[in-house]
Amino acid sequence: MTVTTIAERGTAPGAASPAAIEALTNAVAAEVRLLEDLIGVMRKQRLSVGSDDLQGVDDSVFATHRILVTLGEARRQRRSLGQRIAGTEDLGLRALDDVLGEGMTDTLKEARDGLRAAALILAREVEMNRQILRSALSTGGDLMRGLYGVPDGTGTYRADPRA
């Protein structure tokens, strides 16, 4: 991927309109809020699993889906703004300093850094939930086998045919 800087397009760095930069800042800040909401949902989901609250788990799955749809829309908006500012929809957050030059605002830097931080936290939360849910499913399977006397194993046939 090559990013066309404002300088390469024949205008000086920082020549993106202040309105476009503000719109990009707002789009990135919206993504940060959505990721923070998703982090909260992941934490609630863990609490629901821990307290055997099936309705809470179900609600968290629904909330996750809703937030992910909204997050997809926010990312599409950011890509559209990237196209407007830098001539590419694939404007990475790391490239903002180079592309915007002097036009890079402190507010946009803070939003960009907040998005990176929220993404890292979310990744940890998702992995933690994945491990907890995997463990809960395994424990539930063990419980069902114990209750119904189903032998542990994946085969249809018994290990000892005389049993």
Side-chain angles (χ1 to χ4, degrees):
M1 171 193 75
T2 57
V3 175
T4 304
T5 64
I6 293 171
E8 291 170 335
R9 286 185 302 168
T11 57
S17 75
I21 292 172
E22 183 179 352
L24 181 60
T25 302
N26 293 338
V28 173
E31 285 186 66
V32 171
R33 286 189 299 277
L34 289 165
L35 290 182
E36 289 171 345
D37 290 348
L38 201 49
I39 290 165
V41 169
M42 294 290 108
R43 291 174 177 163
K44 287 179 185 176
Q45 185 179 66
R46 254 194 328 272
L47 291 173
S48 295
V49 169
S51 63
D52 293 327
D53 177 9
L54 295 179
Q55 184 61 50
V57 172
D58 189 47
D59 291 346
S60 70
V61 170
F62 177 75
T64 298
H65 177 70
R66 182 179 41 82
I67 292 170
L68 288 175
V69 168
T70 307
L71 186 59
E73 290 297 320
R75 286 190 175 150
R76 275 190 283 285
Q77 180 181 3
R78 179 167 46 99
R79 285 187 178 133
S80 173
L81 289 164
Q83 178 68 41
R84 183 172 160 199
I85 290 171
T88 179
E89 289 185 357
D90 295 325
L91 176 61
L93 295 174
R94 291 183 179 144
L96 284 176
D97 288 311
D98 294 334
V99 170
L100 294 176
E102 294 295 318
M104 182 68 163
T105 65
D106 289 339
T107 309
L108 181 53
K109 283 181 186 177
E110 289 171 14
R112 176 201 57 202
D113 294 345
L115 184 59
R116 285 182 185 158
L120 289 172
I121 292 169
L122 178 61
R124 285 193 301 264
E125 296 289 332
V126 166
E127 183 56 32
M128 202 178 317
N129 281 25
R130 188 174 293 151
Q131 290 173 3
I132 288 170
L133 289 170
R134 190 175 297 131
S135 175
L137 287 172
S138 174
T139 301
D142 292 345
L143 177 64
M144 294 305 285
R145 282 189 292 279
L147 285 174
Y148 294 106
V150 177
D152 188 19
T154 58
T156 309
Y157 300 102
R158 295 180 189 190
D160 180 5
R162 290 174 279 148

